[in-house]
Amino acid sequence: MKRRVLPGLPLTLGYTLTYLTLIVLIPLSAVFLKTATLDWSHFWDVITAPRVVASYKLTFGASLLAALINTVFGLILAWVLVRYTFPGKKLVDSLIDLPFALPTAVAGIALTALYAPNGWIGSILEPLGIKVAFTPLGVLVALIFIGLPFVVRTVQPVLEDIDSELEEAAASLGANRWQTFTKVLLPIISPALLTGFALAFARAVGEYGSVIFIAGNIPLVSEITPLMIISKLEQYDYAGATAIATVMLVISFVLLLVINGLQAWTKKSRETI
């Protein structure tokens, strides 16, 4: 009989379910139960208010776009860190983790100082007619900043495990660089890319601290959904806050379910080739 270091299945499964219930299931259940105190008409009025709908569009639209941008450039960054050696490589590798260590409020203040009209970068963009701070573009910049490490750190180990001989073999068979990437490398790294995309998207949807300063919080323009929830809580409208939170939770869950299903399908398709 194989000896395991950790206790058997009944004990470990019990710990797992208990921990999951306390940390995840009970808080989520409380959101739905509090929302259930509203009648349907009141619930519908809360979640379809013009400012709330505008915040949905900004939050989910900017989060999806930021995750897509991070997927592309995160792959490029991971590729450079894995495949090349250059002066300052360790410093660049360390800077990737900066959004993990930096408090979100500090990140938001720093980004606002940089992209404000009188900031280092904002003062250059302002004469060109490009305004970043206090606009939806500023929200996108903040979400890209906090989501990039998820893609890089998810893809990087996969790239490190890919033998360069695969690329050499593809080149020897007449494949060009694009064919080598799409036919050889992409099928291998696509599950990791989708995982990084999902993590970056999930982080962006719930982000508050780094966005609230640079967004400007202009009604119907640059208000994010977490701000709507905070506003309801400040007004002691707990049922209204949980109603908006419920919509965010359901939409996020559906999107992540689709992404995970796509990831599983991609992995299965790769195994059958």
Side-chain angles (χ1 to χ4, degrees), residues 180-215:
T180 301
F181 174 74
T182 56
K183 302 296 184 181
V184 179
L185 298 178
L186 187 58
I188 298 175
I189 64 176
S190 54
L193 269 178
L194 286 171
T195 300
F197 172 84
L199 291 174
F201 169 75
R203 171 67 189 276
V205 166
E207 182 60 23
Y208 178 79
S210 62
V211 177
I212 199 67
F213 295 101
I214 197 172

Side-chain angles (χ1 to χ4, degrees), residues 9-180:
L9 176 63
L11 185 59
T12 52
L13 181 60
Y15 281 134
T16 301
L17 294 178
T18 302
Y19 187 80
L20 183 65
T21 300
L22 292 174
I23 302 300
V24 179
L25 297 181
I26 291 179
L28 292 183
S29 299
V31 171
F32 286 101
L33 291 174
K34 189 65 178 179
T35 304
T37 61
L38 296 174
D39 57 62
W40 173 251
S41 60
H42 190 188
F43 172 78
W44 185 255
D45 290 341
V46 170
I47 66 173
T48 59
R51 288 179 64 179
V52 176
V53 172
S55 74
Y56 294 151
K57 295 178 180 178
L58 176 61
T59 297
F60 289 101
S63 296
L64 282 171
L65 184 56
L68 287 172
I69 294 173
N70 279 330
T71 299
V72 175
F73 290 97
L75 173 60
I76 296 174
L77 275 171
W79 180 270
V80 170
L81 291 173
V82 171
R83 295 294 184 177
Y84 300 101
T85 300
F86 53 90
K89 177 180 177 179
K90 291 185 177 180
L91 177 61
V92 174
D93 194 33
S94 301
L95 289 175
I96 296 295
D97 293 326
L98 183 61
F100 284 149
L102 197 64
T104 56
V106 175
I109 294 172
L111 291 173
T112 304
L114 285 174
Y115 288 99
N118 59 347
W120 290 351
I121 300 177
S123 60
I124 299 174
L125 298 177
E126 186 76 14
L128 302 176
I130 303 174
K131 187 176 181 181
V132 178
F134 318 125
T135 68
L137 182 57
V139 176
L140 179 64
V141 169
L143 296 182
I144 291 173
F145 174 79
I146 58 98
L148 181 63
F150 291 95
V151 179
V152 176
R153 294 311 184 205
T154 304
V155 176
Q156 193 173 358
V158 179
L159 289 176
E160 290 173 347
D161 290 337
I162 298 177
D163 198 329
S164 59
E165 292 180 358
L166 289 175
E167 302 165 51
E168 297 171 1
S172 67
L173 293 173
N176 57 36
R177 293 182 178 181
W178 178 249
Q179 289 173 327
T180 301

Side-chain angles (χ1 to χ4, degrees), residues 196-252:
F197 172 84
L199 291 174
F201 169 75
R203 171 67 189 276
V205 166
E207 182 60 23
Y208 178 79
S210 62
V211 177
I212 199 67
F213 295 101
I214 197 172
N217 310 320
I218 303 173
L220 302 175
V221 176
S222 59
E223 286 181 325
I224 57 174
T225 305
L227 176 62
M228 294 289 96
I229 297 175
I230 295 297
S231 299
K232 293 288 185 181
L233 291 175
E234 290 176 346
Q235 298 168 11
Y236 302 100
D237 183 7
Y238 300 116
T242 55
I244 300 174
T246 299
V247 173
M248 283 194 70
L249 179 63
V250 171
I251 296 176
S252 301

